[in-house]
Amino acid sequence: MNEPSCGSIRTGMQGRLDIQIEDEFFYIIPEDVRNLIFYGRSAPVFRSCTEKKDEWAEIFATEISGHVAINTAGRAVEFITTKGCFIIPLFSLQKVARGEAVSAPLFQILPDLRGGVFL
């Protein structure tokens, strides 16, 4: 039985990776994508937020809303965000980052319901 995808990752403007999880949008900058893929370094996940100050002005801000890292086996990439924990195969992320694929699905990591600790 296939699990439903909870989000997607796709190429964005100027080489960044855009991540959509439900109704929120996150992104990873190009330098961090290269460090993640080639060197295995974890990277911050950013979220752009707009705030209405009044009817004429909007405030645009960027905040770090999580991080992304390659798992210990080296075959998948885990996204830890304010919306939850998600996973994608490493080769799918590499294909999207290189422009060989338009997008790839993210799958939610569910907590262990048997009483274990979820980190």
Side-chain angles (χ1 to χ4, degrees):
M1 181 169 163
N2 292 337
E3 296 177 12
S5 68
C6 296
S8 64
I9 187 166
R10 63 192 65 191
T11 54
M13 298 182 311
Q14 301 169 348
R16 72 181 196 184
L17 288 180
D18 290 338
I19 306 159
Q20 180 181 0
I21 300 172
E22 295 173 0
D23 58 346
E24 289 197 36
F25 294 93
F26 303 92
Y27 65 91
I28 306 169
I29 60 174
E31 296 82 22
D32 289 337
V33 173
R34 282 191 291 277
N35 285 334
L36 176 72
I37 292 173
F38 294 121
Y39 305 113
R41 296 182 185 143
S42 62
V45 175
F46 296 98
R47 181 171 68 100
S48 297
C49 27
T50 59
E51 204 177 285
K52 280 273 200 197
K53 188 171 182 181
D54 57 23
E55 67 179 79
W56 301 102
E58 282 186 344
I59 298 173
F60 295 99
T62 301
E63 62 183 23
I64 296 175
S65 294
H67 71 278
V68 60
I70 295 177
N71 71 350
T72 55
R75 293 183 175 177
V77 178
E78 296 176 355
F79 291 85
I80 313 297
T81 67
T82 55
K83 295 296 270 185
C85 301
F86 301 88
I87 195 165
I88 184 173
L90 179 60
F91 71 89
S92 295
L93 180 89
Q94 289 172 336
K95 282 186 165 190
V96 173
R98 288 190 302 244
E100 295 174 8
V102 175
S103 67
L106 288 173
F107 299 98
Q108 189 169 16
I109 302 173
L110 299 175
D112 186 8
L113 301 177
R114 296 172 287 168
V117 177
F118 180 64
L119 300 175

